[in-house]
Amino acid sequence: MNKTSLQKSISILALLASALLSTGCSTIIDARKQKQPYISSYYSGNIDKAAKDLTAKSESRNDSDDELMWRLDQGTANFTVGDYQQSINAFKRCEVIIADHDNRAVINARAGGAEVGAALTNANALPYKGMYLDKVMLNAYKALDYFALNDPSAAQVELRRMRNAQKHVVKQFAEEIQKNQKEIDAQNQKNQRQSTKNTSISFDDISKNPVINDLYQSSANKANKLYGNLSNPFVSYFSAIGYLMDNNYGEALVDFRNLYRMLPENKLVQQDYVSTARKIGDRIPNELSHIKTYDYPLDQKMAYVLLFNGRAPALKQEKFQIILPYVGYTGIAFPRYEYFSSALQGLNIDYLYQGNKRSVQTEQIANFDAIMSQEYHEKLPGMITRLVVSTLTKEIASFAAVQAARNSGNDGAVIGALLLTGTYKALFNTADTRCWETLPQEVQIAHIPIPDNGLINITPLDASQTTEIKLKNNTNNAIVFVRALSANKLIYKTFETQ
Amino acid sequence: MTHKIISLLSISLSLIILTGCGGTQTRRIDATSNEGLVTTDDINFKDWQIAAEKGINSLLESGVLNRADGRKMILMISTVKNSTNEHIDTRILTDKIRYALLRSGKALTTTAIGGNGPDDRASRQVRELDQDDMFNQSTVKKSGTAIAPDMSLSGEIVQQQASSGRVRESYFFFHMALTDLDTGLAIWEENVEIAKQAKKPVFGW
């Protein structure tokens, strides 16, 4: 190997080492694999271990680009285990990280550095800023934390933040899609300038690939268009609960009206909408005129049963083969949602009210498969195009490095260059599978008046074991939170406000 | 090669300068000055001062605290509802107002009862000593001697946020009211509005 080739090889090695050091673990080992033991503990019901380990892991990932991902799961795991203050602390840290990204200058050195890292490695080098759903759900969990700590005033603050976040995500999302397309166009142009072949790539071209076409179609099928604009019906329902607890029927009606638009066939939403509208003398749609109002007030002496059912979809790494200029067939790693079946069909609730035995079942309010798939589906064209363009960029650079070695006439240099560039490409062909894995697959809700004797009997629809919840005598409103990690792992919590 | 080393050194040096060399610098600031931090999403100490000052001046000038019999009005502090997106302690506002009222000589506030429970439980606790042999019963405060309030002070703080492009703003609306507890009528009300705006820089670290 001559001196020049050696210097080049050392430079590439140095570049690789610094890329590795600066971009973190997820650039090589995908996040899903890294989180597997923690998530496995959580869903197998070993929630104490999951909470403890996720807390320790989050601390060790402090200030890293992946910190937000770990903190979100730390927050839910600690909520599930009942360490509400720890959960609040984790979510507060999430808010700080998200705000830090939101408040950065439009063109900032850190983002520039991360982009360079991502160009050299993969999308995992970019800081994880959270999915749009994450930004809304973290305040929902914080509100639950404060209800659990019997601090309804603080919970109301979180509900307002949740509503605010819901409003903002739609706007931010549209801006992000636009920004991504600009970046893809710029990179396409840059690649074209460095190449003699046609290297311009569009999603229309890529979507001819059967894997990508299937991916695009299946995510479209999963996404529920009725929800629209990344809206989360659970957020609207939780918001309405907050307003009703505050005796604000007017604002609750706005939420129920939106929910009716999103879930027109939902019986619970229909009756909530009609009862709230009639209470304040607002008009109701003709098609709902036959719906009866509840025979109990919605703003006091109420118990809400929230079922957080099953496991939300999680991103996993897959590869698709594509023909690219210079390299021919190449496999590109990409993230794809894996869906899980729900843990329970629902819950049956028995109680005594005004001397009569009554029964009600929970109804699905939000399907997280649909909500998360919608965001994924909308982002998919940009994400896949970006991956292909980035792969092509690396291929062009590798091609140039090997070509330079060939021009030196030294066989050793050529072998060295091929080995280095091959290792480099294989090492960093990792999909960005970072996501919040401890969210539920769906949320089901029911509400009842506070029973005469304060007793609520809850039975899963597909099981016979009943759990009895006893409310305190002076309870004004209660939230009975049921986390179904699996069909056999149910966690019951009761939050009461006086 | 020398050029490359010099370039690398220059970049490293610039980075060190940019990221700062020393530790955190802490200093005292004058709480009555305008030196404090101004953040868009929070109510900063100066905002509390502005809201309290306007509320106090308005209340004292309104004349509702003047009584014909010369007795001082007794006020209870009810609740100030937090309808903002931030976790705030509304006591900062009510404590400032009660302090100013006391200094004005026109009113006294009771700590025996309050919207969120008594500020000082001692008034009730000492009366519970009437069953305790340890205490000289002639020194135990008698029931029926505490003075009930004439008025109650309440309020609400509302926040609205908006953003457009690089600009983000918060609007805080402070509402304060004094209720005559005889009639249940609000005999004084005041609103204080504070709006703050922040603009994201185009370039930065």
Side-chain angles (χ1 to χ4, degrees):
Chain A
M1 197 180 278
N2 65 27
K3 202 180 166 188
T4 321
S5 303
L6 192 67
Q7 276 177 347
K8 275 185 183 163
S9 302
I10 290 168
S11 305
I12 292 169
L13 270 175
L15 195 66
L16 279 175
S18 54
L20 194 67
L21 284 171
S22 64
T23 55
C25 306
S26 303
T27 51
I28 298 173
I29 305 161
D30 83 273
R32 178 78 183 275
K33 277 189 194 140
Q34 286 184 56
K35 284 207 290 183
Q36 196 274 332
Y38 305 90
I39 302 304
S40 176
S41 290
Y42 183 76
Y43 283 106
S44 62
N46 200 352
I47 51 170
D48 288 295
K49 180 174 167 48
K52 194 169 150 252
D53 291 352
L54 278 163
T55 302
K57 183 68 184 180
S58 300
E59 291 301 326
S60 75
R61 300 300 295 154
N62 213 31
D63 286 330
S64 74
D65 287 343
D66 294 342
E67 185 186 354
L68 178 61
M69 172 188 75
W70 291 104
R71 293 284 181 196
L72 288 167
D73 283 314
Q74 180 200 356
T76 26
N78 279 285
F79 169 77
T80 313
V81 88
D83 191 343
Y84 303 114
Q85 198 51 57
Q86 182 77 264
S87 172
I88 289 169
N89 294 344
F91 287 129
K92 273 185 180 169
R93 181 69 195 141
C94 294
E95 286 177 310
V96 168
I97 296 167
I98 291 168
D100 177 50
H101 286 295
D102 286 349
N103 295 334
R104 284 182 190 178
V106 181
I107 302 163
N108 63 82
R110 281 174 290 178
E115 287 292 345
V116 171
L120 287 170
T121 58
N122 53 52
N124 288 292
L126 298 170
Y128 180 65
K129 296 178 192 172
M131 304 282 184
Y132 287 100
L133 176 78
D134 303 355
K135 294 175 188 178
V136 180
M137 281 306 290
L138 82 86
N139 289 119
Y141 269 105
K142 267 178 91 187
L144 286 168
D145 277 319
Y146 281 114
F147 276 125
L149 292 171
N150 197 14
D151 190 348
S153 174
Q156 291 285 359
V157 170
E158 295 306 328
L159 291 179
R160 282 190 287 275
R161 287 183 174 184
M162 177 190 77
R163 293 177 195 121
N164 225 21
Q166 175 75 76
K167 213 163 67 179
H168 278 107
V169 294
V170 179
K171 209 165 127 188
Q172 279 185 327
F173 187 61
E175 286 170 4
E176 188 189 327
I177 296 285
Q178 206 178 15
K179 186 173 160 255
N180 280 350
Q181 192 50 52
K182 274 186 187 166
E183 282 171 13
I184 290 164
D185 293 344
Q187 192 58 49
N188 262 331
Q189 283 173 7
K190 199 175 159 192
N191 284 349
Q192 192 58 72
R193 279 197 301 273
Q194 292 173 353
S195 168
T196 50
K197 298 181 185 179
N198 179 17
T199 55
S200 183
I201 287 164
S202 71
F203 185 69
D204 284 343
D205 300 330
I206 304 166
S207 64
K208 286 172 191 151
N209 181 296
V211 176
I212 300 303
N213 189 42
D214 170 63
L215 186 66
Y216 194 63
Q217 296 305 326
S218 60
S219 62
N221 293 338
K222 277 278 182 190
N224 187 339
K225 294 291 176 193
L226 263 183
Y227 291 177
N229 289 337
L230 305 180
S231 294
N232 181 342
F234 168 65
V235 167
S236 298
Y237 204 98
F238 201 17
S239 164
I241 292 175
Y243 281 128
L244 287 171
M245 283 181 172
D246 225 8
N247 194 25
N248 191 341
Y249 275 88
E251 290 301 323
L253 178 62
V254 175
D255 284 322
F256 286 131
R257 196 181 289 132
N258 286 335
L259 277 161
Y260 177 60
R261 205 190 62 239
M262 291 186 259
L263 307 162
E265 302 302 324
N266 188 298
K267 301 283 178 231
L268 175 68
V269 169
Q270 286 178 356
Q271 202 172 0
D272 286 338
Y273 181 18
V274 169
S275 300
T276 313
R278 287 208 173 117
K279 169 79 182 176
I280 57 171
D282 207 274
R283 65 171 200 86
I284 52 168
N286 289 336
E287 69 273 16
L288 295 182
S289 57
H290 65 286
I291 303 280
K292 284 183 182 170
T293 55
Y294 295 110
D295 62 350
Y296 52 87
L298 296 175
D299 58 339
Q300 55 179 313
K301 294 284 171 193
M302 284 277 289
Y304 296 90
V305 178
L306 309 183
L307 168 63
F308 275 39
N309 195 12
R311 179 176 176 177
L315 291 168
K316 66 171 181 177
Q317 178 172 296
E318 282 192 13
K319 281 186 182 167
F320 69 97
Q321 299 290 328
I322 191 166
I323 303 170
L324 288 179
Y326 295 100
V327 274
Y329 269 101
T330 189
I332 299 176
F334 69 99
R336 178 179 201 153
Y337 269 129
E338 179 183 0
Y339 299 94
F340 304 91
S341 52
S342 37
L344 299 176
Q345 283 180 40
L347 298 171
N348 189 72
I349 300 145
D350 294 305
Y351 63 102
L352 193 70
Y353 185 61
Q354 293 180 341
N356 298 315
K357 279 185 182 173
R358 290 188 175 190
S359 187
V360 69
Q361 285 183 6
T362 51
E363 292 218 29
Q364 188 190 68
I365 288 294
N367 179 336
F368 280 49
D369 283 355
I371 299 165
M372 292 164 93
S373 297
Q374 191 186 2
E375 183 172 344
Y376 178 82
H377 180 74
E378 300 290 338
K379 283 180 177 172
L380 185 67
M383 176 188 70
I384 293 289
T385 313
R386 200 183 167 121
L387 276 172
V388 176
V389 171
S390 156
T391 306
L392 184 60
T393 307
K394 281 179 221 156
E395 293 293 355
I396 292 171
S398 302
F399 179 81
V402 174
Q403 206 59 33
R406 279 199 180 116
N407 292 343
S408 72
N410 185 322
D411 289 345
V414 176
I415 294 166
L418 281 169
L419 201 66
L420 278 170
T421 55
T423 311
Y424 165 60
K425 284 184 287 181
L427 205 60
F428 292 117
N429 192 9
T430 311
D432 183 1
T433 56
R434 293 173 294 180
C435 63
W436 191 354
E437 292 190 49
T438 42
L439 287 172
Q441 190 235 357
E442 63 163 358
V443 178
Q444 293 193 21
I445 297 179
H447 59 71
I448 59 169
I450 299 268
D452 299 344
N453 52 8
L455 293 176
I456 305 173
N457 289 301
I458 300 176
T459 316
L461 291 179
D462 23 22
S464 56
Q465 196 178 355
T466 298
T467 299
E468 186 181 89
I469 307 285
K470 173 84 177 95
L471 301 179
K472 291 178 192 132
N473 288 336
N474 60 346
T475 293
N476 187 30
N477 286 305
I479 293 174
V480 178
F481 180 89
V482 185
R483 182 68 175 102
L485 296 169
S486 68
N488 304 317
K489 301 282 179 194
L490 305 186
I491 293 155
Y492 291 83
K493 294 167 182 291
T494 310
F495 315 140
E496 296 168 77
T497 61
Q498 281 74 40
Chain B
M1 195 64 173
T2 321
H3 279 301
K4 278 184 184 168
I5 291 167
I6 290 169
S7 307
L8 201 66
L9 277 174
S10 309
I11 292 166
S12 308
L13 197 65
S14 316
L15 280 174
I16 290 164
I17 292 165
L18 275 172
T19 49
C21 303
T24 308
Q25 290 185 344
T26 310
R27 67 187 177 104
R28 280 202 179 81
I29 57 166
D30 180 0
T32 58
S33 73
N34 284 319
E35 286 183 279
L37 294 173
V38 183
T39 52
T40 326
D41 297 333
D42 307 295
I43 301 177
N44 304 121
F45 76 79
K46 199 69 199 170
D47 302 324
W48 289 117
Q49 285 174 1
I50 292 167
E53 199 176 312
K54 283 190 182 172
I56 293 157
N57 291 340
S58 163
L59 182 56
L60 293 176
E61 284 164 15
S62 69
V64 296
L65 297 173
N66 300 333
R67 285 177 65 108
D69 61 5
R71 183 169 76 79
K72 286 177 183 175
M73 285 281 189
I74 309 296
L75 243 74
M76 74 170 268
I77 306 298
S78 186
T79 50
V80 175
K81 192 177 170 194
N82 171 18
S83 293
T84 73
N85 300 341
E86 306 303 317
H87 295 276
I88 53 173
D89 190 347
T90 55
R91 276 196 72 116
I92 301 174
L93 183 69
T94 52
D95 283 0
K96 277 180 178 293
I97 293 175
R98 74 193 296 171
Y99 174 74
L101 289 177
L102 186 67
R103 284 177 59 102
S104 75
K106 291 187 174 178
L108 294 170
T109 53
T110 172
T111 57
I113 186 169
N116 295 319
D119 264 1
D120 187 350
R121 290 186 63 243
S123 300
R124 187 168 295 278
Q125 279 174 323
V126 293
R127 282 163 177 78
E128 287 162 3
L129 301 178
D130 60 357
Q131 304 295 320
D132 195 332
D133 295 342
M134 193 179 104
F135 292 89
N136 177 346
Q137 288 299 305
S138 67
T139 63
V140 173
K141 300 296 169 201
K142 301 285 176 268
S143 290
T145 56
I147 301 173
D150 304 303
M151 311 253 174
S152 97
L153 181 72
S154 63
E156 185 172 7
I157 306 166
V158 183
Q159 180 185 13
Q160 276 193 345
Q161 290 173 306
S163 65
S164 177
R166 292 191 289 128
V167 182
R168 203 174 75 250
E169 68 182 22
S170 265
Y171 165 70
F172 293 99
F173 180 83
F174 294 73
H175 175 74
M176 291 164 266
L178 195 67
T179 304
D180 181 338
L181 296 172
D182 274 331
T183 61
L185 299 176
I187 54 166
W188 168 84
E189 288 183 81
E190 184 60 80
N191 299 326
V192 179
E193 295 165 283
I194 291 172
K196 300 197 276 188
Q197 204 175 70
K199 194 173 186 180
K200 245 200 261 190
V202 179
F203 299 102
W205 163 246

